[in-house]
Each structure stands twice: as structure tokens, then as C-alpha cells.
Amino acid sequence: MPSHPSVELSMRERKKQNSMVRLKTAAKELMWADGYETVTTKAIAARADMGEATLFRYVSSKLDLFLSVYGEEFAQVVDQCVQANDDRRSDDHRESGDHIEQIVDSYELLASLYTRYPELAFTFVKESFGSSTAVGRTGLEYADRWFELLESILEHGRSTNALEIADVPAVVQNCHAIYVHEVLRSHARDLPTDGMPQRLRHRLELSLTHLIRS
């Protein structure tokens, strides 16, 4: 008796999902150990126990596979910061500088990805917004969630008269421009990796402290 089409589809979907999990796991193990540039799709496919041609049935390029895997790391940071912000929502007694500190702390957590994986963080910043594929556009979705979070923090500060801001989205965009520049500068200038969060914190504080109402 032939299988029901919906059952066959479900089996194919499960196989696809299993293959993607194996690919992502293999890519992360190899790229995190050896770097993005060094690792080949052939090596990733071998680690995932499949042929290279099979790999390209699931992803269009090594870059897309990397963006997908590293994007999940970015998403985890966003989730942590969103949860932290949710925990603070009920606090109506924040000091005037608490909103700025929350922005800086959020970027410090994002910067921790750079200190752990400097080459990969650099590659993600450099490549994610230039990719026109569906996976590349997912990077923009992560960024949109990040911007929405930061805007909500600053909007709360403005609504409670803790901050004086004329254009919240512009302030958030400037903050992220500082982060992106610090990643690119740290890589280009070969600056100490472990000092990147502190360099970023210093620049963000200089940029934001004037927003605090005296």
C-alpha cells in the first residue's frame, strides 16, 4: 500500500531538517576551530557525512552557511538582551543614567562575540549586510530586532523624562555604526582583541551621556 503524500512530505522534511542540523554543526565545529577562510565546503560536507554536491542542495554557498550559523549566535545575544529588558520593564525607579548603561551593557554583550571569535565576528559584520540571499536577509532581521530593542530602551528613557532625545532611531543607528566601525577598526589595525569591549564602551558612553537630563 503506497504511503500517504503528507507522510512522505513529512519524512522528506525531517530528512532535510536533520541534514541542515548536521551541516550547521559541522560548519560551526570547523569554522570556530580553523576560521571561515580556511574551511572548505568539502571539509564541512565530510564532517557532516555527506557529499559536497549534497551540501549545495541545502545551502547555496559557504557564506550562506556561515551567516546562518553565526546569525544564530547573534540571535542568542538579542534574546538575552530582550529578556533583560523585559525584566526591567516593571522598574519605575531607574536612575537617569540607567538607560544609557543598559544600551552600553547590551553592546558589551554583543562585543563578547568578537572577543571569542574575532575573525568570525569581522566576517559577519563585513558580509551579512551585503548578501542578497534569503539567508543574508535574515541578518537584517536580526539587526532589526536589535534596533527595536535599543529603540524601546531609549523611548522608555524619553517617556520618563530621563533622557532628552529628538530622534531615537538616529541615535540607535549611530550606536550601531560605532560598533561596526570598532569591529572593522580592531581587525584592520590588529588591536588587542580582549580590549575591544572596553574601547566600544568608551566610545558609546562619549556618544550617549549628553542625552541624560541633568
Side-chain angles (χ1 to χ4, degrees):
M1 184 175 182
S3 299
H4 192 279
S6 63
V7 175
E8 292 180 359
L9 179 61
S10 177
M11 291 176 63
R12 286 198 299 271
E13 189 61 31
R14 286 200 298 271
K15 181 180 178 182
K16 180 180 179 180
Q17 291 175 353
N18 179 262
S19 296
M20 280 304 302
V21 168
R22 284 158 47 207
L23 274 176
K24 287 182 178 182
T25 300
K28 184 170 183 177
E29 288 173 353
L30 293 175
M31 290 178 182
W32 267 235
D34 302 324
Y36 171 77
E37 296 293 344
T38 302
V39 175
T40 65
T41 52
K42 183 176 181 179
I44 294 170
R47 177 66 68 93
D49 194 27
M50 65 178 64
E52 190 175 15
T54 303
L55 177 149
F56 285 115
R57 289 211 298 266
Y58 294 107
V59 295
S60 62
S61 66
K62 183 178 79 168
L63 176 59
D64 262 11
L65 182 54
F66 164 73
L67 292 177
S68 177
V69 174
Y70 194 89
E72 291 175 357
E73 296 278 339
F74 185 12
Q76 288 178 22
V77 171
V78 178
D79 289 343
Q80 289 180 55
C81 292
V82 167
Q83 184 60 57
N85 188 49
D86 288 345
D87 292 343
R88 292 189 183 190
R89 282 186 186 278
S90 59
D91 183 2
D92 294 325
H93 304 287
R94 299 192 208 180
E95 298 294 329
S96 57
D98 284 352
H99 298 85
I100 300 304
E101 187 65 20
Q102 189 177 352
I103 296 287
V104 175
D105 286 348
S106 296
Y107 269 104
E108 194 160 28
L109 186 58
L110 184 58
S112 70
L113 284 180
Y114 181 86
T115 60
R116 281 182 282 163
Y117 323 115
E119 183 205 343
L120 301 180
F122 167 75
T123 302
F124 187 75
V125 165
K126 182 174 63 123
E127 301 287 357
S128 60
F129 302 114
S131 176
S132 61
T133 66
V135 174
R137 287 190 292 274
T138 300
L140 293 177
E141 293 173 8
Y142 297 143
D144 287 343
R145 284 189 64 213
W146 184 251
F147 294 157
E148 288 169 5
L149 164 66
L150 302 185
E151 287 175 12
S152 71
I153 295 170
L154 295 180
E155 285 288 3
H156 183 275
R158 181 163 69 173
S159 67
T160 57
N161 291 317
L163 302 176
E164 186 171 1
I165 310 175
D167 190 336
V168 168
V171 172
V172 169
Q173 290 161 18
N174 288 340
C175 287
H176 206 68
I178 291 172
Y179 165 75
V180 169
H181 180 261
E182 192 59 45
V183 170
L184 300 178
R185 183 177 80 102
S186 296
H187 183 86
R189 299 291 185 181
D190 198 25
L191 299 177
T193 298
D194 58 1
M196 188 274 197
Q198 186 56 41
R199 294 192 298 270
L200 180 62
R201 170 175 284 274
H202 176 67
R203 294 178 63 184
L204 288 171
E205 288 176 343
L206 286 177
S207 176
L208 295 172
T209 49
H210 71 282
L211 301 174
I212 300 173
R213 284 187 182 273
S214 54

